[in-house]
Amino acid sequence: MLQDIRENAQGTIAKIIIGLLIVSLSIWGMDAIVGGFSGEPEVATVNGEDITEREFLRVVQIESQRRLSEMENPDPSLLDEDQVRQDVLDALIQQKVMTLNAEDQGLELSDADIDSLITQMPQFQVDGTFNRDRFVSAVRNMGMGVAEFRETMRKQYVVNQIRAGISQSGVVTDENVVQLLRIQNQTRDFRVTTLSADAVSDQVEVTEADVEAYYDENQDAFKLPESVDASYIVLSLAALAETIDVSDDQLRDYYEQRSSELAREERRASHILIEDGENAEETMATIQERLAAGESFATLAEEFSVDTVSAEQGGDLGFAERGVYDPAFEEALFALEEGEVSDPVSTSFGVHLIKLEDVQKTEAPPLAELEDQLRRELAQREATERFAEVRSELADLAYAADDLAGPAEELGLEVREKSGITRNGGEAPFDHAGLIRQLFSEDVLTEGFNTELIDVGDNMSVVARVGEYQEAQQQPLEEVADEIRAALTSQKTREALRERADAIIADLESGKNIEELGLEEWQSYEDQPRSNPSLGGAVMSQVFSLQRPGDGDNVYGSVVSNDSATIVALDAVNEGDVNRDGGEFRQLRGFLASLEGQREYRAYQQFLRENAEVERP
């Protein structure tokens, strides 16, 4: 087991555990720092083992922060705290069940094993060597202590071994894979003819009585919601930067500081790219051995590189500056000395060997060319430093003021106006749920106070107040009659088209042909896959939902839209081809086996959970 862990310590497992430690519910081991929780209140007991209140509250905080980070506009008031607490407790109980099961199976890591794993993790290395300072800093950034991190690793890794062992044991028969591929690759022969809305227009009539009846039955649909007109102040980093003057002396000093960065450096690279598959490591080793033996990089690029365009040029990619290549490729390239070849570098394109052929450097452009850009950068930097201070000042001024004119004048900001804002929001910045909630609160809507200062985006804050309030109003019939008439016309047209399509299908099934029915000629399609884009998803979905026709028979169906009906005649179903030795077969078999393994692991978790003795005070 330990050997398996070590082999994965610098790969997927290492990344997973770091991610879990940051955002998941893996918080065991607090007793390693605080000297144990004996005597502390517990929120649940699992098979005699306590989950302490301190554990629980800490994870509630972590989970709340995680959910906030997933919001486009983070707003703590939008969190369902009861749901967060329930989810956290359920997860902690499940984690405790799995940890105790791992202990029952005798799965454990010694202190030496944990030390070995930690020192192998690339997250804690500098230049390929374990760095204690980086380790301690990273752990503290997770909000943990070193002892707690070690204990978390100890328990999480053994649970992962159970998960991996069960998930990787999923088995699927080849016949199941064949069956699915036959269905997936199935094609069908069919014909279609189209009936336009004009064919049923004489059957569609919307009277004034119909319009009035629809209006009476659906009055709630024609209510204008309550709304407010609001005045507001926006404090943004960009606007603040525009108010900042940058002196010529500041500009010259900044230019001198940046001159080395502003000088452009371009690097000419060559590369050999191979696919990242089962034989990648062996192929790359062969290339490196031949390079070491003195063979030309260009010759090997022509022979091995799957980047056929550059391979014809000996792998040459030409000159490029930073920001052009994949980050991993760029990092490796700009770390090379001229003529040096990198170690293998993995990117989304495959695995590369990179050679630095040449370096070109140019002097920094003169100050006159960069003046506007550098002034903006300096203003932005100063605005960033001042933003928090000005934000705090605006919050205080707006809280104490009975209007927005005073705070705006004090800080040199503009009071803006926006009308027609409903409880569902409006145009930016009133598309922010927290700001809307404040605007329609009793203090602001009824008592006439300003809202709190609300952060509606990155470095953008808004304070608002209600100017005028409009109650919900019923729209009169004459204002919405045309809208209702159009909706009823579409509805009746669809109904008429559906009835006509059903009648046509009945006639076709009785032996009539389309000439007798006055329809357009059939358009034939043979051996068509599910993904035919020319007919649209609705038609192809209908084609592949029809039952297989008998010999010499047809099966009919229809697809109705607002302006047409398409009649489908299914002629034949063609079985999909299956290559048991092909990549598609192997990929689907692996995917199904993975799903089966995951299902078995979930069932195992559920079994342990159902048989655990859980007590909640």
Side-chain angles (χ1 to χ4, degrees), residues 325-381:
Y325 297 120
D326 179 277
F329 188 102
E330 178 180 291
E331 182 179 355
L333 174 61
F334 279 81
L336 295 174
E337 299 293 335
E338 192 170 328
E340 188 179 4
V341 177
S342 72
D343 291 331
V345 177
S346 294
T347 70
S348 58
F349 302 101
V351 184
H352 311 253
L353 278 184
I354 307 166
K355 182 179 180 181
L356 177 58
E357 303 285 1
D358 194 7
V359 178
Q360 288 183 169
K361 293 185 178 181
T362 58
E363 297 296 326
L367 175 57
E369 289 184 17
L370 300 173
E371 182 174 349
D372 290 342
Q373 173 191 335
L374 297 183
R375 283 189 186 279
R376 286 195 299 272
E377 289 181 10
L378 274 173
Q380 185 81 7
R381 176 188 291 185

Side-chain angles (χ1 to χ4, degrees), residues 263-282:
R264 293 180 57 194
E265 177 182 316
E266 295 184 316
R267 294 196 163 206
R268 182 178 180 182
S270 295
H271 80 144
I272 300 171
L273 174 64
I274 66 170
E275 293 181 351
D276 190 4
E278 294 180 1
N279 301 320
E281 190 173 339
E282 181 180 345

Side-chain angles (χ1 to χ4, degrees), residues 188-193 504-514 522-526 542-543 545-558 567-573:
R188 297 195 168 197
D189 302 341
F190 60 94
R191 292 163 290 143
V192 300
T193 186
I504 289 171
I505 289 174
D507 288 339
L508 290 170
E509 290 174 339
S510 69
K512 293 184 179 181
N513 57 51
I514 59 172
W522 291 110
Q523 291 182 310
S524 297
Y525 297 87
E526 295 184 357
Q542 176 67 11
V543 168
S545 67
L546 294 174
Q547 293 183 354
R548 183 188 298 266
D551 292 339
D553 294 332
N554 296 112
V555 176
Y556 298 97
S558 65
I567 313 298
V568 177
L570 178 62
D571 299 322
V573 174

Side-chain angles (χ1 to χ4, degrees), residues 211-254:
V211 173
E212 187 172 347
Y214 186 90
Y215 176 80
D216 291 339
E217 293 169 5
N218 299 275
Q219 289 209 6
D220 286 346
F222 304 106
K223 278 186 177 179
L224 291 175
E226 62 177 331
S227 65
V228 297
D229 299 338
S231 56
Y232 65 103
I233 297 173
V234 175
L235 174 65
S236 69
L237 191 64
L240 187 59
E242 291 177 0
T243 67
I244 295 174
D245 292 325
V246 176
S247 70
D248 291 341
D249 288 341
Q250 287 177 304
L251 182 64
R252 280 191 294 271
D253 290 343
Y254 187 54

